Amino acid sequence: MGSSSRRRARDWVCEMQHVILGAGPAGVIAAETIRKHAPADRIVLVGDEPEAPYSRMAIPYLLIGHIGEEGTHLRHGAGHFEALRIERRQGRAKGIDSGRKQVHLDDGSSLAYDRLLIATGSSSVRPPIAGMDLPNVHSCWTLADARAIAQRAAKGKRVLQMGAGFIGCIIMEALAARGVELTVVEMGDRMVPRMMGPTAGGMIKEWCEAKGVRVFTGARVEAIEAAGDAMKVKLAGGPTLDADLVISATGVKPNIGFLKDSPIKCLVGVLTDEHLQTSVEHVYAAGDCAEAFDIVSGKTIVSAIQPNAADQARVAALNMVGRRAVLKGVTQINVLDTLGLISTSFGHWQGVPGGEQVELTDRAAGRHLSLQFKDDVLVGCNSIGWTEHVGVMRGLVEGQVKLGEWKQRLQRDPTLLMEAYLASAQGQGARALVAPK
């Protein structure tokens, strides 16, 4: 084969078409990674909003006023995507024909692909409550939501928020900073019930109430009714509350409905292997819609946090361009600032069958520490106020460090986390992921 023929063959192999569904952090990072390693390939980034790609996690800072809308954008340079020859297209996927390698969009058009990345993220859950369609009832998930909330959530306005989970507490922080009269209604028996145990969740509630937030736990909204320019919010078996604005923060779910008629296997999210490939060859998934292996639990999980989205996007993108890469595992971490109270959750914070635990609580000082063990490994923990140990806790849990005699020492005094890390993780060269701070 002559040099020109070899060049044509090489060009034919390299010039593939990559379609990325989702223009959030996972989609953007994947597109940039593909471009870095495959300069000749075509990349189409499909987003379903008319906005520049942005981070949802920046929306609370927008509501507080710390940033403008441009501050939510994932990339700030003018012409960033054009310079990288990343084609942006607005649309929403309605289905995938994996046999023909085509994505069908809601405008009736289709996109052919050689490699496909599903990075469609998640959407806010809409609870089945009468009155959810009223004009002053909103989620807080998109820039459009944020604009609507900012118009109504003025100082002194009565705002009722449904949900006090991780995302709900972040939204609550932004609303409190705007000076509204805030009420929070949480169905669970405590605040942040999927992140914190009973003691920690109760301490967060006490803290919020001391800061002037009215909190109902073990309660749910039964109906919302218009009352002039305001609303009446009826709690099941409880009082009826007045509100000028209602915000729904009752959770999110992966955007995978468009895959229901495809052979791509989904559980909670799109099931992936260690290369982030789905059950269908040449189709990958990353971010909040992807279900990947968790090294701590030994199961596949959806862990919808931005560091996971970034790691998954890079691994998927490398495999899409033929560079073999493996995801070491997802991270189960949550660090939350609730009106100035720092809480953390790592791994199996609720414990495991047959495991052991130890707790230390000082309510007066606003400090709580709960450690969960399986054999001599720290498999999870909760903390409030122990900010100096965040890196150590993560390192011990994710590194699956064998503690040996240090397990008994921690059971006697849970505050010895740094000493346990230094003696166990570094001493045995364990795979601790975060250096102690």
Side-chain angles (χ1 to χ4, degrees):
M1 183 184 291
S3 61
S4 61
S5 298
R6 286 195 299 271
R7 189 180 306 114
R8 284 195 300 272
R10 186 173 64 248
D11 290 346
W12 180 82
V13 170
C14 291
E15 292 175 357
M16 293 195 299
Q17 176 149 306
H18 303 270
V19 174
I20 299 172
L21 301 177
V28 168
I29 290 170
E32 293 169 343
T33 304
I34 291 170
R35 175 56 68 231
K36 178 179 179 181
H37 296 283
D41 288 2
R42 184 185 179 199
I43 305 170
V44 182
L45 182 65
V46 182
D48 64 356
E49 295 182 56
E51 324 285 355
Y54 67 94
S55 170
R56 300 194 194 283
M57 297 308 296
I59 287 176
Y61 301 100
L62 173 65
L63 288 172
I64 291 171
H66 288 172
I67 59 174
E69 283 198 14
E70 68 284 352
T72 68
H73 294 172
L74 290 169
R75 300 295 179 262
H76 300 288
H80 174 82
F81 296 99
E82 292 79 3
L84 291 175
R85 291 178 294 109
I86 297 171
E87 303 172 35
R88 288 176 51 206
R89 180 162 176 175
Q90 185 180 348
R92 184 186 295 269
K94 293 198 72 176
I96 292 175
D97 185 337
S98 57
R100 292 183 175 146
K101 288 191 171 183
Q102 290 184 333
V103 177
H104 303 306
L105 302 180
D106 58 355
D107 62 1
S109 65
S110 297
L111 284 171
Y113 67 85
D114 295 299
R115 300 290 184 272
L116 174 67
L117 177 65
I118 302 168
T120 47
S122 54
S123 295
S124 56
V125 173
R126 186 180 179 84
I129 297 171
M132 287 295 294
D133 293 329
L134 290 172
N136 289 318
V137 178
H138 298 280
S139 298
C140 186
W141 195 241
T142 67
L143 279 178
D145 293 332
R147 295 177 190 123
I149 291 168
Q151 287 182 346
R152 194 70 174 175
K155 185 175 181 178
K157 290 292 185 179
R158 299 163 300 180
V159 179
L160 184 140
Q161 177 179 302
M162 296 185 292
F166 181 80
I167 293 172
C169 283
I170 294 173
I171 297 168
M172 182 183 67
E173 177 107 13
L175 293 170
R178 294 180 68 89
V180 304
E181 184 182 311
L182 183 58
T183 299
V184 175
V185 179
E186 166 57 45
M187 289 180 64
D189 63 353
R190 59 191 182 274
M191 294 187 72
V192 211
R194 295 185 181 180
M195 170 181 162
M196 309 302 290
T199 300
M203 290 176 68
I204 294 174
K205 178 182 178 180
E206 292 167 7
W207 176 271
C208 291
E209 290 176 330
K211 295 289 185 178
V213 179
R214 191 180 186 187
V215 181
F216 291 87
T217 53
R220 66 178 177 87
V221 172
E222 186 174 67
I224 307 168
E225 297 177 356
D229 291 335
M231 290 168 287
K232 297 284 186 181
V233 182
K234 171 64 177 174
L235 302 190
T240 296
L241 308 173
D242 296 320
D244 301 300
L245 172 68
V246 173
I247 294 176
S248 176
T250 54
V252 298
K253 60 181 179 180
N255 292 323
I256 58 175
F258 68 99
L259 299 173
K260 63 182 176 62
D261 295 323
S262 81
I264 297 169
K265 187 173 182 180
C266 298
L267 298 176
V268 176
V270 184
L271 191 63
T272 63
D273 63 14
E274 68 270 27
H275 308 293
L276 276 303
Q277 186 168 242
T278 70
S279 58
V280 172
E281 190 177 18
H282 305 318
V283 179
Y284 297 78
D288 290 9
C289 67
E291 185 163 344
F293 184 73
D294 167 38
I295 57 175
V296 175
S297 68
K299 302 176 182 178
T300 57
I301 63 168
V302 175
S303 184
I305 59 175
Q306 197 157 311
N308 281 332
D311 289 344
Q312 292 171 1
R314 292 188 186 97
V315 170
L318 289 170
N319 284 294
M320 290 167 73
V321 298
R323 291 176 175 259
R324 184 178 176 83
V326 173
L327 184 74
K328 294 181 179 178
V330 296
T331 297
Q332 291 192 74
I333 63 171
N334 287 296
V335 179
L336 181 63
D337 183 343
T338 308
L339 305 179
L341 183 67
I342 307 299
S343 58
T344 69
S345 173
F346 296 100
H348 288 290
W349 57 268
Q350 74 277 40
V352 296
E356 300 174 82
Q357 70 168 4
V358 60
E359 286 194 356
L360 178 65
T361 304
D362 185 345
R363 287 183 178 271
R367 289 164 75 86
H368 169 75
L369 187 58
S370 169
L371 305 182
Q372 306 291 337
F373 302 93
K374 181 180 181 182
D375 300 324
D376 68 341
V377 174
L378 183 68
V379 295
C381 51
N382 267 172
S383 76
I384 290 178
W386 292 90
T387 55
E388 66 270 34
H389 288 324
V390 171
V392 171
M393 287 187 283
R394 179 181 177 184
L396 287 169
V397 172
E398 293 192 358
Q400 297 181 293
V401 176
K402 291 187 178 301
L403 294 164
E405 65 178 17
W406 276 96
K407 174 190 172 183
Q408 286 72 37
R409 295 190 187 186
L410 286 172
Q411 287 177 315
R412 291 192 297 268
D413 185 354
T415 68
L416 297 177
L417 285 162
M418 176 68 78
E419 292 83 350
Y421 179 93
L422 293 173
S424 303
Q426 295 187 352
Q428 64 191 245
R431 189 182 55 214
L433 305 184
V434 176
K437 295 180 180 179

